[in-house]
Amino acid sequence: MTEESTPAADERVVVAESVHKSYGRLEVLRGIDLEVRRGEVCCVVGPSGSGKSTFLRCINHLEKINAGRLWVNGHLMGYRQKGGKLHELRESEVAAQRRDIGMVFQRFNLFPHMSVLANVMEAPVQVKRVARSSARETAMELLDRVGLADKAGSYPGRLSGGQQQRVAIARALAMNPSLMLFDEPTSALDPELVGEVLDVMQGLAADGMTMVVVTHEMGFAREVGDTLVFMDGGVVVESGVPREVLGNPRHERTRAFLSKVL
């Protein structure tokens, strides 16, 4: 086992140990400990400013942590550990780590000048050097999976927000990730479009995709999540089986939050 491997060889896809993140004097994450096992759906909830999205971005090293350790698939993210010291990886090495992690943002971030099909094909062709014919076939299969095969030739600007977000999910899946991160994927959508995106995510969960989902959709967390994590003030206040946390929260802060959103 190498020094940058996780402490134990098991089914843990994400392991966070005492993760801290600050912006100057502002301490956003104050010691996050969290584990996500293969095939699990971990839903992270909490008030605005609690550090949820920051933590999600730390998982794939879009944000650099200030202290602690974060492993994905047994590999220390963003760093190499030698003799107890951390040495930052080169950007190319970090990019290689990220290839196995799909991320879907609040905003869809699609290339507006490219068709839906081209958006989904782009990363496999450019990053993984997949043959265009093969990338096209996979992209069409993924668009069919998210219910948008008929929109392959359309441009993002002609799609609804829900459709664009489903394309964004297909694009992330095109890299065949072992872990999917969702950063409030329905928060920018009109209410009537939320369900179509959650249905796709529920399908991914049913297929065994490992997912960390920052969300305000408590119904999704209750029905689809394996674990519910409540964050506030940069720490994990409470975690457990979603129905138990939502139905009988142990901590007063969790109860106060849920009383406003349920």
PDB file of all heavy atoms in Angstrom, residues 46-48 50 230-233 237-238 249-260:
ATOM      1  N   GLY A  46     -28.270  21.441   4.272  1.00  0.00           N
ATOM      2  CA  GLY A  46     -27.904  22.440   5.265  1.00  0.00           C
ATOM      3  C   GLY A  46     -28.201  23.827   4.754  1.00  0.00           C
ATOM      4  O   GLY A  46     -28.485  24.021   3.561  1.00  0.00           O
ATOM      5  N   PRO A  47     -28.136  24.829   5.625  1.00  0.00           N
ATOM      6  CA  PRO A  47     -28.442  26.200   5.213  1.00  0.00           C
ATOM      7  C   PRO A  47     -27.387  26.754   4.269  1.00  0.00           C
ATOM      8  O   PRO A  47     -26.267  26.238   4.168  1.00  0.00           O
ATOM      9  CB  PRO A  47     -28.454  26.971   6.536  1.00  0.00           C
ATOM     10  CG  PRO A  47     -27.559  26.179   7.442  1.00  0.00           C
ATOM     11  CD  PRO A  47     -27.776  24.746   7.061  1.00  0.00           C
ATOM     12  N   SER A  48     -27.753  27.806   3.570  1.00  0.00           N
ATOM     13  CA  SER A  48     -26.807  28.499   2.692  1.00  0.00           C
ATOM     14  C   SER A  48     -25.615  28.976   3.508  1.00  0.00           C
ATOM     15  O   SER A  48     -25.768  29.472   4.623  1.00  0.00           O
ATOM     16  CB  SER A  48     -27.505  29.689   2.026  1.00  0.00           C
ATOM     17  OG  SER A  48     -26.613  30.394   1.206  1.00  0.00           O
ATOM     18  N   SER A  50     -23.202  27.007   4.655  1.00  0.00           N
ATOM     19  CA  SER A  50     -22.735  26.007   5.625  1.00  0.00           C
ATOM     20  C   SER A  50     -21.499  25.258   5.161  1.00  0.00           C
ATOM     21  O   SER A  50     -20.908  24.496   5.927  1.00  0.00           O
ATOM     22  CB  SER A  50     -23.860  25.011   5.935  1.00  0.00           C
ATOM     23  OG  SER A  50     -24.289  24.342   4.760  1.00  0.00           O
ATOM     24  N   PHE A 230     -26.206  16.420   7.489  1.00  0.00           N
ATOM     25  CA  PHE A 230     -26.607  17.802   7.730  1.00  0.00           C
ATOM     26  C   PHE A 230     -25.382  18.599   8.161  1.00  0.00           C
ATOM     27  O   PHE A 230     -24.736  18.282   9.156  1.00  0.00           O
ATOM     28  CB  PHE A 230     -27.685  17.883   8.814  1.00  0.00           C
ATOM     29  CG  PHE A 230     -27.991  19.296   9.239  1.00  0.00           C
ATOM     30  CD1 PHE A 230     -28.521  20.209   8.342  1.00  0.00           C
ATOM     31  CD2 PHE A 230     -27.731  19.716  10.537  1.00  0.00           C
ATOM     32  CE1 PHE A 230     -28.793  21.523   8.724  1.00  0.00           C
ATOM     33  CE2 PHE A 230     -27.995  21.027  10.933  1.00  0.00           C
ATOM     34  CZ  PHE A 230     -28.530  21.928  10.026  1.00  0.00           C
ATOM     35  N   MET A 231     -25.064  19.631   7.366  1.00  0.00           N
ATOM     36  CA  MET A 231     -23.919  20.496   7.656  1.00  0.00           C
ATOM     37  C   MET A 231     -24.397  21.871   8.101  1.00  0.00           C
ATOM     38  O   MET A 231     -25.402  22.387   7.607  1.00  0.00           O
ATOM     39  CB  MET A 231     -23.027  20.655   6.417  1.00  0.00           C
ATOM     40  CG  MET A 231     -22.157  19.462   6.105  1.00  0.00           C
ATOM     41  SD  MET A 231     -21.099  19.743   4.642  1.00  0.00           S
ATOM     42  CE  MET A 231     -20.100  21.157   5.195  1.00  0.00           C
ATOM     43  N   ASP A 232     -23.653  22.463   9.001  1.00  0.00           N
ATOM     44  CA  ASP A 232     -23.897  23.844   9.397  1.00  0.00           C
ATOM     45  C   ASP A 232     -22.607  24.402   9.980  1.00  0.00           C
ATOM     46  O   ASP A 232     -21.903  23.704  10.722  1.00  0.00           O
ATOM     47  CB  ASP A 232     -25.026  23.931  10.433  1.00  0.00           C
ATOM     48  CG  ASP A 232     -25.449  25.367  10.699  1.00  0.00           C
ATOM     49  OD1 ASP A 232     -25.405  26.184   9.753  1.00  0.00           O
ATOM     50  OD2 ASP A 232     -25.825  25.677  11.845  1.00  0.00           O
ATOM     51  N   GLY A 233     -22.286  25.622   9.595  1.00  0.00           N
ATOM     52  CA  GLY A 233     -21.096  26.261  10.144  1.00  0.00           C
ATOM     53  C   GLY A 233     -19.801  25.545   9.827  1.00  0.00           C
ATOM     54  O   GLY A 233     -18.838  25.619  10.594  1.00  0.00           O
ATOM     55  N   VAL A 237     -23.027  18.283  11.455  1.00  0.00           N
ATOM     56  CA  VAL A 237     -23.769  18.310  12.709  1.00  0.00           C
ATOM     57  C   VAL A 237     -24.373  16.952  13.010  1.00  0.00           C
ATOM     58  O   VAL A 237     -24.370  16.479  14.146  1.00  0.00           O
ATOM     59  CB  VAL A 237     -24.862  19.389  12.673  1.00  0.00           C
ATOM     60  CG1 VAL A 237     -25.711  19.370  13.950  1.00  0.00           C
ATOM     61  CG2 VAL A 237     -24.240  20.770  12.467  1.00  0.00           C
ATOM     62  N   GLU A 238     -24.881  16.316  11.956  1.00  0.00           N
ATOM     63  CA  GLU A 238     -25.594  15.055  12.146  1.00  0.00           C
ATOM     64  C   GLU A 238     -25.611  14.288  10.839  1.00  0.00           C
ATOM     65  O   GLU A 238     -25.676  14.881   9.756  1.00  0.00           O
ATOM     66  CB  GLU A 238     -27.029  15.344  12.601  1.00  0.00           C
ATOM     67  CG  GLU A 238     -27.847  14.128  12.955  1.00  0.00           C
ATOM     68  CD  GLU A 238     -29.141  14.473  13.678  1.00  0.00           C
ATOM     69  OE1 GLU A 238     -29.334  15.652  14.061  1.00  0.00           O
ATOM     70  OE2 GLU A 238     -29.960  13.557  13.861  1.00  0.00           O
ATOM     71  N   PRO A 249     -34.659  13.925  14.121  1.00  0.00           N
ATOM     72  CA  PRO A 249     -33.305  14.478  14.263  1.00  0.00           C
ATOM     73  C   PRO A 249     -32.875  14.556  15.731  1.00  0.00           C
ATOM     74  O   PRO A 249     -33.684  14.872  16.606  1.00  0.00           O
ATOM     75  CB  PRO A 249     -33.423  15.875  13.637  1.00  0.00           C
ATOM     76  CG  PRO A 249     -34.874  16.207  13.708  1.00  0.00           C
ATOM     77  CD  PRO A 249     -35.606  14.911  13.573  1.00  0.00           C
ATOM     78  N   ARG A 250     -31.609  14.277  15.965  1.00  0.00           N
ATOM     79  CA  ARG A 250     -31.095  14.245  17.343  1.00  0.00           C
ATOM     80  C   ARG A 250     -30.682  15.625  17.835  1.00  0.00           C
ATOM     81  O   ARG A 250     -30.743  15.897  19.033  1.00  0.00           O
ATOM     82  CB  ARG A 250     -29.889  13.293  17.434  1.00  0.00           C
ATOM     83  CG  ARG A 250     -30.200  11.857  17.060  1.00  0.00           C
ATOM     84  CD  ARG A 250     -29.025  10.944  17.370  1.00  0.00           C
ATOM     85  NE  ARG A 250     -27.790  11.391  16.741  1.00  0.00           N
ATOM     86  CZ  ARG A 250     -27.414  11.062  15.528  1.00  0.00           C
ATOM     87  NH1 ARG A 250     -28.209  10.306  14.765  1.00  0.00           N
ATOM     88  NH2 ARG A 250     -26.264  11.482  15.031  1.00  0.00           N
ATOM     89  N   HIS A 251     -30.199  16.466  16.928  1.00  0.00           N
ATOM     90  CA  HIS A 251     -29.625  17.745  17.340  1.00  0.00           C
ATOM     91  C   HIS A 251     -30.614  18.882  17.145  1.00  0.00           C
ATOM     92  O   HIS A 251     -31.365  18.923  16.162  1.00  0.00           O
ATOM     93  CB  HIS A 251     -28.339  18.024  16.550  1.00  0.00           C
ATOM     94  CG  HIS A 251     -27.241  17.061  16.863  1.00  0.00           C
ATOM     95  ND1 HIS A 251     -26.299  17.287  17.842  1.00  0.00           N
ATOM     96  CD2 HIS A 251     -26.939  15.841  16.323  1.00  0.00           C
ATOM     97  CE1 HIS A 251     -25.461  16.274  17.885  1.00  0.00           C
ATOM     98  NE2 HIS A 251     -25.829  15.369  16.982  1.00  0.00           N
ATOM     99  N   GLU A 252     -30.596  19.830  18.059  1.00  0.00           N
ATOM    100  CA  GLU A 252     -31.499  20.970  17.998  1.00  0.00           C
ATOM    101  C   GLU A 252     -31.307  21.771  16.707  1.00  0.00           C
ATOM    102  O   GLU A 252     -32.271  22.247  16.107  1.00  0.00           O
ATOM    103  CB  GLU A 252     -31.297  21.871  19.211  1.00  0.00           C
ATOM    104  CG  GLU A 252     -32.145  23.138  19.188  1.00  0.00           C
ATOM    105  CD  GLU A 252     -33.626  22.850  19.094  1.00  0.00           C
ATOM    106  OE1 GLU A 252     -34.091  21.849  19.683  1.00  0.00           O
ATOM    107  OE2 GLU A 252     -34.327  23.618  18.407  1.00  0.00           O
ATOM    108  N   ARG A 253     -30.035  21.923  16.276  1.00  0.00           N
ATOM    109  CA  ARG A 253     -29.775  22.696  15.054  1.00  0.00           C
ATOM    110  C   ARG A 253     -30.398  22.006  13.849  1.00  0.00           C
ATOM    111  O   ARG A 253     -30.929  22.669  12.954  1.00  0.00           O
ATOM    112  CB  ARG A 253     -28.258  22.865  14.860  1.00  0.00           C
ATOM    113  CG  ARG A 253     -27.900  23.726  13.657  1.00  0.00           C
ATOM    114  CD  ARG A 253     -28.340  25.173  13.856  1.00  0.00           C
ATOM    115  NE  ARG A 253     -28.248  25.966  12.625  1.00  0.00           N
ATOM    116  CZ  ARG A 253     -29.237  26.124  11.753  1.00  0.00           C
ATOM    117  NH1 ARG A 253     -30.411  25.540  11.957  1.00  0.00           N
ATOM    118  NH2 ARG A 253     -29.070  26.869  10.682  1.00  0.00           N
ATOM    119  N   THR A 254     -30.338  20.682  13.804  1.00  0.00           N
ATOM    120  CA  THR A 254     -30.971  19.944  12.711  1.00  0.00           C
ATOM    121  C   THR A 254     -32.478  20.131  12.759  1.00  0.00           C
ATOM    122  O   THR A 254     -33.116  20.366  11.724  1.00  0.00           O
ATOM    123  CB  THR A 254     -30.643  18.438  12.810  1.00  0.00           C
ATOM    124  OG1 THR A 254     -29.246  18.260  13.071  1.00  0.00           O
ATOM    125  CG2 THR A 254     -30.995  17.718  11.522  1.00  0.00           C
ATOM    126  N   ARG A 255     -33.054  20.038  13.953  1.00  0.00           N
ATOM    127  CA  ARG A 255     -34.503  20.204  14.092  1.00  0.00           C
ATOM    128  C   ARG A 255     -34.942  21.592  13.625  1.00  0.00           C
ATOM    129  O   ARG A 255     -35.952  21.736  12.945  1.00  0.00           O
ATOM    130  CB  ARG A 255     -34.916  19.970  15.549  1.00  0.00           C
ATOM    131  CG  ARG A 255     -34.857  18.516  15.980  1.00  0.00           C
ATOM    132  CD  ARG A 255     -35.577  18.293  17.292  1.00  0.00           C
ATOM    133  NE  ARG A 255     -34.864  18.900  18.411  1.00  0.00           N
ATOM    134  CZ  ARG A 255     -33.948  18.274  19.134  1.00  0.00           C
ATOM    135  NH1 ARG A 255     -33.610  17.017  18.848  1.00  0.00           N
ATOM    136  NH2 ARG A 255     -33.361  18.884  20.144  1.00  0.00           N
ATOM    137  N   ALA A 256     -34.161  22.616  13.996  1.00  0.00           N
ATOM    138  CA  ALA A 256     -34.514  23.985  13.620  1.00  0.00           C
ATOM    139  C   ALA A 256     -34.477  24.157  12.106  1.00  0.00           C
ATOM    140  O   ALA A 256     -35.365  24.793  11.520  1.00  0.00           O
ATOM    141  CB  ALA A 256     -33.560  24.966  14.299  1.00  0.00           C
ATOM    142  N   PHE A 257     -33.463  23.567  11.464  1.00  0.00           N
ATOM    143  CA  PHE A 257     -33.347  23.674  10.000  1.00  0.00           C
ATOM    144  C   PHE A 257     -34.489  22.955   9.314  1.00  0.00           C
ATOM    145  O   PHE A 257     -35.151  23.495   8.427  1.00  0.00           O
ATOM    146  CB  PHE A 257     -32.011  23.111   9.540  1.00  0.00           C
ATOM    147  CG  PHE A 257     -31.870  22.993   8.045  1.00  0.00           C
ATOM    148  CD1 PHE A 257     -31.652  24.108   7.263  1.00  0.00           C
ATOM    149  CD2 PHE A 257     -31.975  21.756   7.416  1.00  0.00           C
ATOM    150  CE1 PHE A 257     -31.542  24.006   5.875  1.00  0.00           C
ATOM    151  CE2 PHE A 257     -31.869  21.640   6.054  1.00  0.00           C
ATOM    152  CZ  PHE A 257     -31.647  22.769   5.282  1.00  0.00           C
ATOM    153  N   LEU A 258     -34.750  21.724   9.739  1.00  0.00           N
ATOM    154  CA  LEU A 258     -35.772  20.916   9.086  1.00  0.00           C
ATOM    155  C   LEU A 258     -37.158  21.501   9.286  1.00  0.00           C
ATOM    156  O   LEU A 258     -38.029  21.355   8.427  1.00  0.00           O
ATOM    157  CB  LEU A 258     -35.714  19.468   9.594  1.00  0.00           C
ATOM    158  CG  LEU A 258     -34.457  18.679   9.196  1.00  0.00           C
ATOM    159  CD1 LEU A 258     -34.481  17.299   9.832  1.00  0.00           C
ATOM    160  CD2 LEU A 258     -34.331  18.573   7.686  1.00  0.00           C
ATOM    161  N   SER A 259     -37.384  22.176  10.397  1.00  0.00           N
ATOM    162  CA  SER A 259     -38.691  22.777  10.645  1.00  0.00           C
ATOM    163  C   SER A 259     -39.022  23.855   9.622  1.00  0.00           C
ATOM    164  O   SER A 259     -40.199  24.170   9.393  1.00  0.00           O
ATOM    165  CB  SER A 259     -38.751  23.376  12.051  1.00  0.00           C
ATOM    166  OG  SER A 259     -37.940  24.536  12.144  1.00  0.00           O
ATOM    167  N   LYS A 260     -37.989  24.399   8.974  1.00  0.00           N
ATOM    168  CA  LYS A 260     -38.182  25.454   7.984  1.00  0.00           C
ATOM    169  C   LYS A 260     -38.292  24.934   6.557  1.00  0.00           C
ATOM    170  O   LYS A 260     -38.771  25.654   5.678  1.00  0.00           O
ATOM    171  CB  LYS A 260     -37.034  26.475   8.068  1.00  0.00           C
ATOM    172  CG  LYS A 260     -36.942  27.190   9.402  1.00  0.00           C
ATOM    173  CD  LYS A 260     -35.727  28.094   9.455  1.00  0.00           C
ATOM    174  CE  LYS A 260     -35.619  28.785  10.802  1.00  0.00           C
ATOM    175  NZ  LYS A 260     -34.382  29.626  10.895  1.00  0.00           N
TER     176      LYS A 260
END
